[in-house]
Amino acid sequence: MSKTAILEIDGKKYEFPVIKGSENEEAININKLRDLTGAITIDPGYKNSGSCTSGITFLDGELGILRYRGYAIEDLADNANFLEVSYLLIFGELPTAAQLQQFETDIRKHSLVNEEMKGIIDGFPKTAHPMGVLAALTSALTAFNPKSVNVENEKELYQAVCKTMGKFLVIATWTYRKSMGYPLNYYDNTKGYVENFMNLMFALPTEPYKLSSVVTEALDKLFILHADHEQNCSTSTVRMVGSSHAGLFASISAGVSALWGPLHGGANQAVLEMLEEIHQNGGDTEKYLAKAKDKNDPFRLMGFGHRVYKNFDPRAKIIKKAANEVLGTLGVDDPILEIAKKLEAAALEDEYFKARNLYPNVDFYSGIIYRALGIPTDMFTVMFAIGRLPGWIAQWKEMRENKEPIGRPRQVYTGSPLREFKKPV
Ligand code: ACO
């Protein structure tokens, strides 16, 4: 017999079905609640509310499990590359060699960005934060690719996916090139996706650019680890915006804005800024640990804690290993990294952090790798966005395919009751 949940309001009982996910997670389906009772539920921050059913990503915060389409993140990080994982997330299955090759070819084919987009970039001051520029440019892609707004069949959807994967990578790097005053680079069809990222970012017309396989492999892994994380803030934003049938570029642009905040994707930048501050103030990690524990001090240890992972972040384990490899191979000797190690070791031993299950999250280590690769701090969140792109696309596609209704939460009004209009004197 299927399970139900009973709710009693003013002595009257109502029964609601309990649905079960494929990993046995249970949820009370309350979609008839208001019709039956007149009441709604309230759950700020959605800590207890599922917004959808989804077949893309499974995570268990207590056990530290993360899987894309059923595959363990550890397996994918070891055995697949970023485009394979992107294909898996978006289309549901790992690609065959031929499908992967076709996907790469189609992304390349659509990587050119309309030259007039450069006029938009020129309108920004050089000091503009790259995430703000990226959100604006992503949204502007809609104007130059109007067909991608109303995708009506699978072919158009596939094209919109390839366009987004190709063009987003290019404009993401352009935000950096603009800030440096460098000429804007184009996708090189002889190179892979992640190699292209490095080329687009760093190649100069004056000399040949030498790619390091250690660097591209580490970046590939980082992108895989960031590729999806079920209904987080930016992904929920992408689904919410898309639920009004806004196009893919507009929805992704909203996701970029959501990701920008320091409590979400902006945390990797905030980690490095915090480490730099500690360094400049004499490297006293104990002082900053004490600040983080002081309830009268708003300071939080950036890169620690997670809304969902309350034991450990499985991505952090993988990335910690990658960070050690990259730093070792590149022979990086950086006082900031020493501070990071000291802070991590001290926090892991500290009762305050232990009692609250606060562990380093993926952002604690990703910022360290990006710094070692010479990526400027304010580009860190852009790096996250490049990695998260296939997840956003997959979730947007699933939301449209499931024919989900427009997202429109309710509220409990706590303002003034009706009052008579009188002009203040
Ligand atoms: N430093 C110090 N104390 C912390 C921290 C931290 N980084 N994170 C949580 N706490 C404390 C809280 O003060 C609270 O203490 P209390 O129970 O005594 O009041 C307790 O731990 C629980 O914290 P919440 O804020 O309820 O946890 P929540 O799940 O709402 O927040 C969040 C998670 C936002 C990630 C939080 O841990 C944080 O601000 N971390 C720093 C920012 C960060 O690294 N964000 C990246 C998230 S990962 C990502 O987006 C990929």
Side-chain angles (χ1 to χ4, degrees):
M1 213 179 78
S2 49
K3 251 191 193 174
T4 56
I6 309 284
L7 177 70
E8 190 172 329
I9 307 177
D10 289 337
K12 205 167 164 208
K13 287 185 180 165
Y14 303 90
E15 196 171 346
F16 298 95
V18 173
I19 64 159
K20 217 178 210 184
S22 48
E23 290 290 340
N24 295 323
E25 305 151 292
E26 290 185 330
I28 305 164
N29 181 346
I30 54 149
N31 70 358
K32 297 268 186 306
L33 177 70
R34 190 166 174 275
D35 283 350
L36 293 173
T37 69
I40 59 165
T41 55
I42 187 150
D43 185 20
Y46 310 113
K47 287 192 179 191
N48 307 283
S49 297
S51 59
C52 59
T53 57
S54 176
I56 301 172
T57 289
F58 171 69
L59 71 85
D60 183 322
E62 277 70 37
L63 297 178
I65 291 173
L66 174 62
R67 295 182 201 140
Y68 299 159
R69 302 281 188 188
Y71 295 100
I73 190 68
E74 293 81 4
D75 264 358
L76 291 170
D78 276 351
N79 300 308
N81 69 33
F82 178 59
L83 278 195
E84 268 177 298
V85 170
S86 301
Y87 189 99
L88 169 73
L89 284 167
I90 298 169
F91 301 109
E93 294 296 336
L94 282 168
T96 61
Q99 284 169 328
L100 182 61
Q101 199 184 11
Q102 190 62 51
F103 190 44
E104 282 205 73
T105 306
D106 293 329
I107 289 172
R108 283 181 188 135
K109 211 163 70 191
H110 290 296
S111 64
L112 266 185
V113 173
N114 193 301
E115 284 294 292
E116 287 178 46
M117 287 278 284
K118 290 183 176 173
I120 301 175
I121 300 182
D122 284 340
F124 285 97
K126 265 190 183 167
T127 50
H129 193 286
M131 282 298 274
V133 182
L134 181 59
L137 293 180
T138 309
S139 187
L141 283 173
T142 310
F144 294 99
N145 302 273
K147 262 219 134 296
S148 303
V149 177
N150 286 317
V151 284
E152 272 164 15
N153 53 49
E154 268 194 32
K155 196 170 154 229
E156 284 177 8
L157 179 72
Y158 179 75
Q159 274 194 359
V161 168
C162 295
K163 279 185 186 174
T164 312
M165 289 293 294
K167 295 181 201 302
F168 189 83
L169 186 75
V170 174
I171 57 173
T173 61
W174 280 6
T175 64
Y176 166 69
R177 303 287 293 194
K178 159 77 186 174
S179 71
M180 299 298 287
Y182 293 153
L184 306 180
N185 282 340
Y186 294 88
Y187 206 91
D188 176 347
N189 284 0
T190 64
K191 294 189 169 61
Y193 195 78
V194 178
E195 290 172 325
N196 255 296
F197 166 77
M198 289 303 282
N199 227 43
L200 283 157
M201 277 284 282
F202 296 118
L204 295 173
T206 42
E207 55 193 290
Y209 179 66
K210 235 179 128 245
L211 279 161
S212 147
S213 60
V214 178
V215 169
T216 49
E217 278 166 27
L219 270 183
D220 200 282
K221 208 165 272 198
L222 268 167
F223 289 152
I224 290 174
L225 298 181
H226 283 93
D228 196 47
H229 214 231
E230 52 118 299
Q231 308 312 317
N232 56 82
C233 177
S234 57
T235 301
S236 300
T237 302
V238 169
R239 283 183 92 122
M240 174 72 100
V241 173
S243 77
S244 74
H245 291 196
L248 187 52
F249 293 130
S251 307
I252 300 283
S253 163
V256 171
S257 298
L259 189 71
W260 190 359
L263 297 189
H264 189 15
N268 53 16
Q269 173 172 344
V271 169
L272 251 287
E273 284 166 355
M274 175 189 75
L275 295 175
E276 269 160 9
E277 188 190 317
I278 299 175
H279 177 53
Q280 275 158 19
N281 289 320
D284 186 352
T285 47
E286 287 303 323
K287 184 176 126 195
Y288 282 86
L289 271 188
K291 268 166 79 62
K293 294 190 281 184
D294 180 356
K295 291 291 167 206
N296 297 317
D297 190 327
F299 176 79
R300 277 191 166 193
L301 213 53
M302 286 293 135
F304 273 75
H306 197 276
R307 168 54 64 83
V308 182
Y309 295 121
K310 297 299 180 193
N311 229 329
F312 68 92
D313 180 342
R315 303 165 303 171
K317 272 196 171 176
I318 301 170
I319 215 171
K320 184 177 179 179
K321 195 164 156 259
N324 285 334
E325 280 165 15
V326 170
L327 300 184
T329 313
L330 298 179
V332 176
D333 181 18
D334 184 343
I336 294 287
L337 305 176
E338 287 312 311
I339 290 177
K341 282 187 195 159
K342 230 168 104 184
L343 199 60
E344 182 199 4
L348 290 176
E349 287 302 312
D350 193 288
E351 271 317 309
Y352 172 96
F353 289 88
K354 279 191 190 163
R356 289 169 180 76
N357 286 327
L358 299 170
Y359 297 93
N361 57 48
V362 67
D363 289 319
F364 188 75
Y365 302 105
S366 63
I368 291 171
I369 299 189
Y370 295 146
R371 180 179 166 95
L373 300 187
I375 292 167
T377 314
D378 65 1
M379 278 296 287
F380 287 6
T381 317
V382 173
M383 301 296 293
F384 190 159
I386 295 170
R388 183 53 53 88
L389 183 65
W392 286 336
I393 298 173
Q395 300 271 354
W396 182 92
K397 179 171 168 280
E398 180 182 70
M399 179 271 308
R400 291 296 296 268
E401 285 168 353
N402 286 354
K403 298 197 174 9
E404 283 173 21
I406 186 166
R408 203 310 189 177
R410 287 190 175 266
Q411 63 164 21
V412 175
Y413 177 69
T414 56
S416 165
L418 182 64
R419 41 186 173 160
E420 198 183 327
F421 179 82
K422 277 193 196 129
K423 273 194 196 296
V425 279

